[in-house]
């Protein structure tokens, strides 16, 4: 059984809640703005800039700016580093 199926078996609420809590703490510690927090959560869930653009109804360049700010404030340089950071806080 993989680690993913183990997580799903528990119903997801505890794991997802813990993911949301880790994200909330990281966002708070990094002083992310409300919009940056929205972008951060979408990134953590594996979404890309085009998806975020469509979801938040903003320009692609605005998304890139928010992503850049999120990365800088959290001290990461890539989407994968961001995901790794959140996972390491669990």
């Amino acid at each position: 059984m993989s680690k993913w199926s183990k997580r799903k078996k528990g119903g997801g609420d505890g794991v997802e809640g813990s993911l949301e809590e880790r994200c909330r703490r990281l966002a708070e510690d990094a002083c992310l703005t409300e919009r940056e927090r929205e972008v951060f959560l979408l990134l953590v869930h594996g979404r890309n800039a085009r998806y975020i653009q469509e979801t938040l109804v903003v320009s692609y360049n605005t998304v890139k700016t928010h992503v850049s700010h999120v990365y800088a404030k959290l001290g990461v340089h890539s989407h994968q580093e961001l995901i790794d950071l959140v996972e390491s806080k669990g």
Side-chain angles (χ1 to χ4, degrees):
M1 180 180 286
S2 76
K3 67 180 181 177
W4 302 112
S5 58
K6 287 180 186 175
R7 287 182 177 184
K8 282 187 156 188
K9 189 175 181 180
D13 293 337
V15 171
E16 193 64 25
S18 113
L19 174 65
E20 297 298 326
E21 178 60 24
R22 287 184 298 223
C23 289
R24 187 195 62 74
R25 283 193 315 262
L26 283 166
E28 193 173 281
D29 291 346
C31 299
L32 297 183
T33 66
E34 190 60 38
R35 186 58 109 179
E36 289 167 350
R37 287 173 192 235
E38 291 176 291
V39 170
F40 173 49
L41 284 173
L42 289 166
L43 289 169
V44 168
H45 287 291
R47 301 305 186 171
N48 64 21
R50 290 289 179 202
Y51 179 90
I52 295 169
Q53 172 192 359
E54 292 174 13
T55 301
L56 300 181
V57 192
V58 295
S59 77
Y60 182 73
N61 286 333
T62 298
V63 173
K64 287 181 8 180
T65 298
H66 288 312
V67 170
S68 175
H69 291 164
V70 169
Y71 286 6
K73 288 180 178 183
L74 291 170
V76 299
H77 301 95
S78 70
H79 196 170
Q80 187 60 53
E81 282 184 27
L82 180 73
I83 292 169
D84 291 344
L85 173 67
V86 172
E87 288 182 351
S88 74
K89 296 297 179 186

